[in-house]
Amino acid sequence: MSKEKIIQTAVEVFSENGYHRASMDEIALRANVAKGTLYYHFPGKAQLFKTLVKDGFQEIINKVQADLKSTFTLEEQIKRIIRHNLDLFLESSSLAHIVFNELSNGIDQEVLEELKKLRIDYIHFLANVLEEGKQEGVLRDVNCNLAAAGIVGMLDSACNYFLNNNKELSRDHIEQFFYTIITSGLFLTSGE
């Protein structure tokens, strides 16, 4: 229980203060745990930060994988991939703030490398979903890694934009917009 509490509190503290100004002392204090307990679970701030971001990506992957085990059409899978990405960032705006604003903020190179690898793994995961659609003759003959990277990049940018301008558009509007752009770009249309 204390590990979960630490993680939730750390997301808030990193989001409010940024990576460099966030302190392990404040996290322990706000999570109401002893410093020893905090350091038992996370030897340092970099490891704690990495865990937060890693858990966020893992959450999306788990949800998407669960969807893929069902018998959804590729269109429905893409709809759900978009929804899960939006959910992660829009429902936990503190985590989104960290991902969009802190990942390039002088964080330990080792942690940055590991987070980059996570992102690449996620892109490859999506590329495999698209590759299956290509094999089934549903998708155009595209480079699936490039398409997956484009989808992730578009969703990241859209979430960041939405979080800063959320009076302008509804979440449903964003979801539908990206579904339309992605599917019209990737899916074969009759006669092609």
Side-chain angles (χ1 to χ4, degrees):
M1 186 59 198
S2 60
K3 189 173 182 178
E4 277 307 305
K5 181 77 177 131
I6 290 168
I7 289 172
Q8 287 172 346
T9 304
V11 167
E12 293 166 15
V13 172
F14 281 123
S15 177
E16 289 167 21
N17 302 328
Y19 179 76
H20 293 293
R21 289 195 325 272
S23 75
M24 293 293 270
D25 287 352
E26 183 179 354
I27 292 167
L29 189 68
R30 281 172 57 175
N32 206 15
V33 297
K35 272 200 248 180
T37 305
L38 176 61
Y39 283 101
Y40 170 77
H41 290 296
F42 303 100
K45 185 164 76 166
Q47 289 84 353
L48 176 53
F49 183 79
K50 180 175 67 182
T51 301
L52 303 182
V53 180
K54 201 172 183 175
D55 286 358
F57 277 112
Q58 197 57 56
E59 192 180 314
I60 295 181
I61 289 171
N62 292 346
K63 285 179 177 175
V64 172
Q65 279 174 331
D67 285 346
L68 297 184
K69 287 185 180 118
S70 55
T71 55
F72 293 126
T73 62
L74 187 62
E75 287 97 329
E76 184 59 30
Q77 287 177 12
I78 287 177
K79 214 173 250 184
R80 285 167 177 266
I81 287 167
I82 293 167
R83 187 171 304 140
H84 293 317
N85 274 272
L86 293 175
D87 284 349
L88 176 72
F89 291 128
L90 301 183
E91 287 173 14
S92 66
S93 56
S94 297
L95 180 67
H97 177 84
I98 290 169
V99 171
F100 297 131
N101 302 306
E102 294 300 321
L103 286 188
S104 56
N105 238 342
I107 290 162
D108 306 18
Q109 196 55 40
E110 180 193 328
V111 172
L112 215 49
E113 289 304 317
E114 205 164 320
L115 295 176
K116 270 186 201 163
K117 184 188 176 318
L118 268 176
R119 188 181 176 87
I120 289 166
D121 289 348
Y122 180 57
I123 287 169
H124 287 308
F125 170 74
L126 287 183
N128 288 334
V129 173
L130 298 175
E131 194 64 52
E132 282 179 36
K134 200 163 88 171
Q135 301 306 319
E136 291 166 16
V138 183
L139 291 188
R140 298 174 194 274
D141 185 19
V142 295
N143 177 321
C144 291
N145 280 318
L146 188 60
I151 290 169
V152 170
M154 279 194 308
L155 290 171
D156 279 1
S157 296
C159 288
N160 196 10
Y161 179 81
F162 181 80
L163 288 168
N164 292 311
N165 303 281
N166 61 3
K167 309 282 181 279
E168 203 175 299
L169 297 164
S170 75
R171 183 198 180 321
D172 289 343
H173 184 89
I174 290 177
E175 197 171 311
Q176 191 53 52
F177 174 75
F178 280 102
Y179 176 75
T180 302
I181 283 186
I182 292 165
T183 55
S184 62
L186 291 177
F187 282 73
L188 285 168
T189 54
S190 55
E192 274 190 80

